Amino acid sequence: MNYQILIVDDEPPARKLLSDYVSKVGHLELAGVCSNGEEAMDFLKKNPVDILLLDIRMPLMTGIDLLNELPDKPLTIFVTAYEEYAVKGYELDVIDYLMKPVSFERFRKAIDKAVEYLSVQVSAEDTTEKPDYFFIKTDTRIVKFFYSEVQAIEAQREYIKIITPTRKILSLLSLTSIANALPGEFVRIHRSFIINMRHIDEVQSNEVLIGEDLYPISRNYREDFFKKLGDRKLL
């Protein structure tokens, strides 16, 4: 399967370098190249893409402004020379954050991460009966988890930590990438946390108690969480 990719950067050398990198990856197709956010906005209205390579500091419309205005966001990889935007990228659920100058090895790592996420999405859509387990790749192993054993999933920058009563495993994924593949008993309560509602022991004001651990409920996710909690038949 080939994935459509759009490059958005106001610097001609950066556009050329990224275009060359895209041409070296067999399952990528360059859908377009834009020099600013407004041009990209117009392009995306007519041409949906799978992956967006997005510069941040651009005239007229920044990459962050573009993401905030897009109703349907492609899977996004920030490409920038400025480290201070890393936290903002994390808040916007970008899949990766590349620092200029970008090496091909680092570019390929980000693309592999994006493709892995897109593959999970496709598999989830194509599977009529979802299995009760999933596999996560770590640095050296592929680890099996049953959905029922997972208590929570925590974002740790570009990694996630999967928490069960007996294990805590790190994997190079974003929280968004795994969220879309999880069954209905999982709910996001914070930009850094997804919890399994089956494991909730108590809800205390703005926190959820699972075992001995407290997880914060942020304002942005509070309404959805309590609606889902209410659907579980409060007495």
Side-chain angles (χ1 to χ4, degrees):
M1 180 177 180
N2 288 339
Y3 297 97
Q4 298 291 314
I5 191 164
L6 175 66
I7 296 169
V8 185
D9 199 303
D10 65 325
E11 299 175 352
R15 295 197 298 270
K16 183 179 186 308
L17 179 68
L18 293 173
S19 297
D20 289 344
Y21 285 174
V22 169
S23 69
K24 294 179 181 179
V25 182
H27 49 270
L28 295 182
E29 289 184 5
L30 186 59
V33 178
C34 299
S35 60
N36 59 68
E38 290 185 342
E39 185 183 343
M41 177 73 78
D42 291 338
F43 181 93
L44 289 168
K45 286 178 181 176
K46 303 171 186 175
N47 308 279
V49 300
D50 301 301
I51 301 170
L52 180 62
L53 292 173
L54 182 61
D55 189 16
I56 296 179
R57 281 197 183 180
M58 296 182 290
L60 302 178
M61 177 184 283
T62 69
I64 291 170
D65 291 337
L66 174 62
L67 277 189
N68 283 329
E69 291 198 23
L70 284 174
D72 298 310
K73 298 176 180 59
L75 199 59
T76 301
I77 299 169
F78 273 155
V79 185
T80 181
Y82 303 95
E83 289 183 353
E84 62 264 31
Y85 292 106
V87 173
K88 192 63 181 177
Y90 172 60
E91 292 174 355
L92 290 168
D93 287 330
V94 301
I95 193 77
D96 211 337
Y97 190 97
L98 300 181
M99 290 294 299
K100 296 179 179 178
V102 181
S103 69
F104 179 71
E105 290 74 20
R106 184 65 183 88
F107 170 84
R108 185 60 192 260
K109 184 177 180 180
I111 291 298
D112 288 346
K113 186 176 178 181
V115 167
E116 182 177 1
Y117 164 66
L118 290 168
S119 299
V120 168
Q121 275 195 317
V122 171
S123 297
E125 291 170 0
D126 291 345
T127 304
T128 54
E129 185 175 344
K130 197 163 187 175
D132 60 354
Y133 60 88
F134 62 101
F135 291 95
I136 285 292
K137 185 167 63 176
T138 69
D139 289 339
T140 58
R141 299 174 296 155
I142 296 177
V143 183
K144 180 179 180 179
F145 290 92
F146 288 96
Y147 290 110
S148 59
E149 72 176 312
V150 176
Q151 295 175 314
I153 304 172
E154 178 183 354
Q156 296 190 342
R157 299 190 71 83
E158 69 267 31
Y159 288 84
I160 59 169
K161 177 165 54 174
I162 299 177
I163 302 166
T164 78
T166 59
R167 296 183 290 175
K168 293 182 180 179
I169 301 292
L170 285 175
S171 178
L172 186 61
L173 286 171
S174 74
L175 204 61
T176 298
S177 68
I178 195 168
N180 293 321
L182 294 171
E185 61 263 29
F186 288 86
V187 60
R188 192 163 186 170
I189 61 169
H190 187 276
R191 74 185 189 197
S192 298
F193 295 103
I194 293 172
I195 62 164
N196 186 340
M197 298 187 72
R198 296 180 184 274
H199 286 278
I200 292 176
D201 293 308
E202 293 181 18
V203 178
Q204 304 174 359
S205 183
N206 292 319
E207 295 177 309
V208 173
L209 178 68
I210 297 179
E212 297 180 353
D213 297 318
L214 282 170
Y215 298 93
I217 307 168
S218 72
R219 182 176 58 187
N220 291 341
Y221 296 96
R222 181 180 176 85
E223 183 177 347
D224 287 344
F225 168 67
F226 280 101
K227 181 181 183 305
K228 202 162 187 179
L229 188 67
D231 290 344
R232 299 274 166 163
K233 298 182 180 179
L234 290 176
L235 300 178

